[in-house]
């Protein structure tokens, strides 16, 4: 209905009619693409065209080009419509620029990936080095540690995480105790549930769970905060004022988390032991005082420290990855999302990986 | 393109395209607009002027339907958008294009994808047609064809403004809202943008509502001005508004910069050529 075709005097006549406007674009696209480029000569007649906007002009131009490409001789009966003249004057004969092709063959992509990984490692090492340089400089002038900023980060990453860390530690330890009780009951060794819970929570679970929660909570927050500051040019503004970005943004976060994570771990340890004690009392009829006595027998003086000593290391890893990924953000909102995700995934992976290294080392040291 | 002048005044008796009546906007105890009226007629380039914090962007957001005013009505093409149901409001929104102060291009998408988004969302079209339409709009605003596949972070400030204009024009709207289209551009780029705007306005018979601080842009493009002073709007033709005795308006148009521009840029009034003003 938007395009009428008739034959007259050996010529084919095409008459666009009605409103060739944006709102009819799908119908126009179908009408234009349905025209078979046949016949030696075609006359276009705009007499019945009621209105034409630029989208309509695009479709008229598309029709013209379709016919011309097939070698059809084309003329307009009367003047070419104004918007069409305007649009073809602006766009000319060029086609949309093709999407830039993939610049490299697959083997080139592998090489590119390898180089990028190399640069990534170099960047991370450089970042680590700058952190230590700034840290060393700040040792000489303690004012540069920015206590107010550190306190804020201890509050946000530590104090505000207490409820969720406590709840999860409690529940996980209840689950461990429950499974342990089911198995050990078969041998009449219910009392060893205390050993199981105590050792698992103090050595591994307390610190590991806390670190994973904090990686999800604060690692992502670090990356997102610094990332948005980069998108907003705030990081450049800090540099231009003459401030050291590592000193202002990175170091307070690292120190704050290194303080907060061990404290959170102690909370998690306590809540984990409480969970074990509650379950032992309810399910196995082990009274609290007996639980405490058995607990003292189960652990060595070092057991608590074997867990806690890992906390600052995990904290450093989480904070460094979060801030580093945040500093890498540039250009777009998608980058921000991507790098925040990378920060969380990598820091959780690194926490578990470092924990495995600790396990081997402690085993060798008989710690 | 130096023959481009502000559009001629709209003949009397025509219904306004944008009619704002009695708008009240408050943020807590602070009243930004108190009974503000504004009318824009078809074919005009209407400039909104006002001091920082006078509520220009708030007014624009109110007209666009992004913010509900505490009182008053906003009519676009005769329909009061503050009372329209959501489905009809969507139809109204397709009839205008907007550029925001900082471009507000979607940073995760290329320029072509930015332009294609409104077209693809409201009209189901095959990909090659979308590419063709995006190409047309990108060339229309004077960007090179290769810019289509660049991301906003790879563009200069002037190119961002043009790309934003291309996206605003994607659905061939008869009405265009521009928030500070030349802010942050160098004078040459700003002047080129003004000429582009005049050229498009004349070729496409657009109606343009523009917030601007730029006196050059006002003198070059606008045929009527609305000044927000004392929480209301005083609007008139440029010739008349510069005569307005309000101290802020006097300071704005007759400060040193304003005087220079007034003499340099104002096109000679027909019949009054050569007379001292």
């Amino acid at each position: 209905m938007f395009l009428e075709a008739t034959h007259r005097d050996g010529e084919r006549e095409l008459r666009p009619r009605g409103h060739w406007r944006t709102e009819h674009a799908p119908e126009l696209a179908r009408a234009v693409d349905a025209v078979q480029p046949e016949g030696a000569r075609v006359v276009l007649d705009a007499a019945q065209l009621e209105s034409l906007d630029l989208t309509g002009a695009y479709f008229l131009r598309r029709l013209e080009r379709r016919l011309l490409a097939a070698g059809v001789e084309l003329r307009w009966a009367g003047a070419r419509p104004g918007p069409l003249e305007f649009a073809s004057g602006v766009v000319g004969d060029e086609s949309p620029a093709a999407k830039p092709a993939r610049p490299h063959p697959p083997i080139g992509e592998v090489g590119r990936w390898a180089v990028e990984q190399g640069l990534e490692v170099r960047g991370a090492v450089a970042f680590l080095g700058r952190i230590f340089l700034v840290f060393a400089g700040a040792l000489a002038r303690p004012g540069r540690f920015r206590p107010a900023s550190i306190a804020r980060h201890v509050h946000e990453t530590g104090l505000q995480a207490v409820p969720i860390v406590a709840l999860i530690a409690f529940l996980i330890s209840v689950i461990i105790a429950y499974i342990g009780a089911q198995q050990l009951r078969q041998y009449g060794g219910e009392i060893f549930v205390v050993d199981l819970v105590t050792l698992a929570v103090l050595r591994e679970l307390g610190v590991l769970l806390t670190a994973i929660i904090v990686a999800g909570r604060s690692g992502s927050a670090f990356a997102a905060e610094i990332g948005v500051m980069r998108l907003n040019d705030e990081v450049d503004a800090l540099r231009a004022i003459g401030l050291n970005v590592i000193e202002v943004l990175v170091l307070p976060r690292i120190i704050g988390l290194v303080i907060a994570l061990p404290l959170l771990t102690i909370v998690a340890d306590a809540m984990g032991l409480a969970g074990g004690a509650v379950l032992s009392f309810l399910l196995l009829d082990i009274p609290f005082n007996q639980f405490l006595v058995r607990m003292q027998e189960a652990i060595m003086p070092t057991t608590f420290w074997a867990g806690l000593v890992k906390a600052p290391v995990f904290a450093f890893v989480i904070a460094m990855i979060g801030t580093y990924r945040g500093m890498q953000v540039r250009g777009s909102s998608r980058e921000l999302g991507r790098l925040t995700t990378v920060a969380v995934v990598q820091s959780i992976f690194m926490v578990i990986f470092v924990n495995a290294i600790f396990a081997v080392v402690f085993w060798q040291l008989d710690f | 393109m130096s023959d481009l002048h502000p559009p001629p005044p709209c003949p009397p008796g025509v219904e306004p395209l944008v009619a704002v009546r009695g708008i009240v906007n408050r943020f807590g105890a602070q009243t930004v607009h108190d009974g503000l009226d504004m009318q824009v007629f078809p074919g005009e380039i209407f400039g909104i002027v006002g001091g920082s914090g006078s509520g220009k962007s708030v007014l624009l957001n109110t007209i666009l339907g992004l913010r509900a005013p505490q009182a008053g009505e906003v009519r676009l093409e005769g329909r009061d958008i503050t009372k329209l149901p959501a489905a009809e409001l969507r139809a109204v929104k397709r009839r205008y294009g907007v550029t925001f102060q900082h471009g507000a291009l979607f940073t995760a998408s290329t320029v072509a994808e930015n332009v294609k988004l409104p077209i693809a969302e409201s009209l189901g079209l095959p990909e090659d047609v979308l590419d063709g339409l995006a190409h047309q709009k990108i060339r229309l605003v004077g960007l090179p064809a290769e810019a289509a596949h660049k991301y906003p972070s790879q563009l200069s400030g002037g190119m961002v403004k043009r790309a934003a204009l291309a996206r605003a024009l994607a659905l061939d709207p008869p009405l265009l809202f521009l928030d500070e289209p030349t802010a942050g551009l160098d004078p040459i780029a700003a002047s080129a943008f003004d000429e582009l705007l005049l050229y498009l306005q004349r070729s496409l018979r657009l109606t343009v509502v523009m917030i601007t601080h730029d006196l050059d842009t006002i003198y070059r493009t606008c045929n009527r001005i609305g000044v927000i002073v004392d929480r209301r709007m005083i609007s008139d033709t440029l010739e008349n508004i510069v005569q307005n005795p309000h101290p802020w308006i006097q300071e704005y148009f007759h400060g040193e910069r304003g005087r220079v521009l007034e003499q340099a840029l104002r096109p000679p009034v027909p019949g009054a050529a050569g007379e001292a003003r």
Side-chain angles (χ1 to χ4, degrees):
Chain A
M1 64 177 272
F2 283 100
L3 200 56
E4 261 181 7
T6 50
H7 286 271
R8 202 170 56 186
D9 307 336
E11 272 187 338
R12 190 158 170 237
E13 198 169 283
L14 289 174
R15 281 193 299 274
R17 53 180 298 174
H19 298 280
W20 281 51
R21 305 186 64 87
T22 306
E23 50 267 35
H24 302 303
E27 295 97 307
L28 293 174
R30 277 195 293 278
V32 166
D33 288 353
V35 171
Q36 295 302 320
E38 59 192 14
R41 283 188 294 173
V42 170
V43 179
L44 287 163
D45 184 358
Q48 296 185 41
L49 198 58
E50 285 174 57
S51 65
L52 182 65
D53 66 7
L54 281 182
T55 303
Y58 166 76
F59 286 109
L60 280 184
R61 184 80 193 125
R62 192 177 166 90
L63 176 63
E64 282 185 342
R65 291 181 61 165
R66 240 174 104 79
L67 294 170
L68 289 173
V72 175
E73 195 181 310
L74 195 67
R75 70 181 175 84
W76 281 86
R80 214 160 163 241
L84 175 59
E85 279 291 334
F86 175 66
S88 28
V90 166
V91 178
D93 260 336
E94 61 186 28
S95 302
K99 271 211 172 89
R102 287 203 331 177
H104 310 290
I107 185 71
E109 289 291 330
V110 173
R112 190 186 171 81
W113 179 83
V115 171
E116 274 169 9
Q117 293 305 308
L119 290 175
E120 182 99 307
V121 169
R122 198 176 73 175
V125 171
F127 189 70
L128 187 66
R130 280 159 65 199
I131 291 172
F132 279 116
L133 274 181
V134 172
F135 183 77
L139 283 180
R141 287 172 48 202
R144 288 169 62 184
F145 275 127
R146 298 180 188 268
S149 183
I150 292 174
R152 190 196 116 203
H153 289 295
V154 171
H155 178 77
E156 283 176 5
T157 61
L159 220 51
Q160 292 183 351
V162 166
I164 184 72
V165 165
L167 183 65
I168 288 181
F170 186 87
L171 291 178
I172 292 282
S173 133
V174 163
I175 294 167
I176 297 281
Y178 182 72
I179 294 174
Q182 272 185 330
Q183 300 300 316
L184 292 169
R185 183 178 272 165
Q186 297 170 18
Y187 310 102
E190 286 98 330
I191 192 69
F192 291 109
V193 168
V194 180
D195 297 52
L196 175 68
V197 168
T198 309
L199 284 174
V201 166
L202 291 185
R203 281 194 76 106
E204 299 291 339
L205 285 182
V207 64
L208 196 60
L209 281 174
T210 310
I212 289 174
I213 295 166
V214 165
R217 244 184 124 259
S218 304
S220 57
F222 290 173
E225 276 172 7
I226 296 182
V228 169
M229 291 183 77
R230 278 211 60 116
L231 290 182
N232 254 343
D233 293 338
E234 289 172 56
V235 172
D236 289 338
L238 283 173
R239 283 205 185 105
I241 294 170
L243 294 171
N244 185 326
V245 177
I246 301 276
E247 180 188 315
V248 178
L249 295 180
V250 177
L251 206 54
R253 284 180 168 78
I254 290 179
I255 294 175
L257 201 60
V258 166
I259 294 172
L261 193 59
L263 298 177
L264 278 177
T265 301
I266 294 171
V267 171
D269 285 352
M271 288 306 290
L273 293 178
V278 167
L279 193 104
S280 303
F281 177 67
L282 292 179
L283 209 67
L284 305 173
D285 291 326
I286 300 173
F288 289 130
N289 54 0
Q290 196 186 346
F291 185 94
L292 283 176
V293 170
R294 180 65 212 161
M295 193 179 92
Q296 302 261 356
E297 291 165 6
I299 58 174
M300 294 186 293
T302 53
T303 307
F304 170 70
W305 296 107
L308 195 65
V309 76
K310 296 190 272 194
V313 180
F314 291 170
F316 182 80
V317 167
I318 293 168
M320 195 193 122
I321 292 175
T323 49
Y324 177 59
R325 294 300 171 189
M327 295 295 279
Q328 281 184 321
V329 173
R330 62 203 52 177
S332 80
S333 55
R334 183 179 291 170
E335 276 291 277
L336 179 64
R338 184 180 75 78
L339 284 163
T340 307
T341 310
V342 167
V344 174
V345 172
Q346 268 187 352
S347 49
I348 291 179
F349 169 78
M350 284 306 288
V351 161
I352 293 174
F353 182 73
V354 172
N355 194 45
I357 294 177
F358 268 115
V360 173
V361 171
F362 285 171
W363 173 267
Q364 294 293 331
L365 293 178
D366 209 11
F367 189 55
Chain B
M1 280 200 265
S2 54
D3 62 327
L4 290 167
H5 293 308
C10 185
V14 179
E15 282 293 303
L17 203 56
V18 181
V20 174
R21 269 189 216 100
I23 285 290
V24 177
N25 271 314
R26 275 192 215 99
F27 294 96
Q30 188 199 1
T31 303
V32 180
H33 303 133
D34 188 9
L36 183 145
D37 297 329
M38 168 182 143
Q39 289 188 322
V40 181
F41 295 94
E44 284 188 327
I45 299 184
F46 186 86
I48 299 177
V49 177
S52 296
S54 63
K56 301 184 293 294
S57 294
V58 175
L59 175 62
L60 187 68
N61 285 349
T62 310
I63 298 174
L64 297 177
L66 304 180
R67 183 195 147 77
Q70 267 83 2
E73 59 171 35
V74 177
R75 287 182 181 277
L76 295 182
E77 300 183 308
R79 288 190 284 184
D80 185 355
I81 62 154
T82 55
K83 295 188 181 64
L84 278 185
E88 285 180 52
L89 190 59
R90 274 171 62 113
V92 171
K93 283 183 179 175
R94 277 187 207 166
R95 306 272 297 158
Y96 65 67
V98 194
T99 71
F100 289 93
Q101 203 165 345
H102 302 289
L105 292 174
F106 305 117
T107 51
S109 309
T110 61
V111 171
E113 287 163 355
N114 265 284
V115 178
K116 279 192 271 184
L117 180 76
I119 312 177
E121 282 301 309
S122 47
L123 308 162
L125 288 171
E127 195 61 31
D128 67 316
V129 173
L130 288 176
D131 283 335
L133 285 171
H135 173 69
Q136 183 197 52
K137 298 301 186 297
I138 287 166
R139 298 291 291 129
L140 189 64
V141 297
L143 287 174
E146 306 82 65
H149 299 298
K150 289 198 170 141
Y151 285 89
S153 55
Q154 299 169 298
L155 301 178
S156 71
M159 289 171 90
V160 166
K161 301 266 183 192
R162 282 168 189 257
L165 185 61
R167 188 178 69 186
L169 290 169
L171 288 170
D172 288 336
L175 178 58
L176 206 54
F177 293 98
L178 310 176
D179 192 351
E180 303 258 8
T182 52
L185 300 187
D186 69 81
I188 296 168
S191 154
F193 193 95
D194 291 342
E195 290 196 346
L196 170 71
L197 183 66
L198 284 170
Y199 175 64
L200 292 178
Q201 192 273 339
R202 198 174 63 178
S203 313
L204 308 178
R205 296 187 187 82
L206 296 172
T207 307
V208 181
V209 178
M210 171 165 60
I211 293 178
T212 184
H213 272 307
D214 191 339
L215 273 175
D216 302 71
T217 299
I218 292 171
Y219 277 99
R220 265 197 300 257
T221 63
C222 296
N223 64 342
R224 280 204 318 134
I225 309 287
V227 189
I228 304 181
V229 280
D230 307 329
R231 296 183 287 284
R232 286 159 186 264
M233 180 178 278
I234 301 172
S235 54
D236 210 330
T237 59
L238 188 55
E239 287 84 359
N240 292 340
I241 206 98
V242 296
Q243 313 289 341
N244 192 296
H246 191 285
W248 193 87
I249 298 177
Q250 285 301 310
E251 174 65 29
Y252 188 82
F253 287 101
H254 299 291
E256 186 145 351
R257 222 176 116 60
R259 263 199 306 278
V260 172
L261 282 167
E262 194 178 349
Q263 283 159 12
L265 283 170
R266 197 67 202 135
V269 181
E275 279 178 35
R277 292 181 107 226

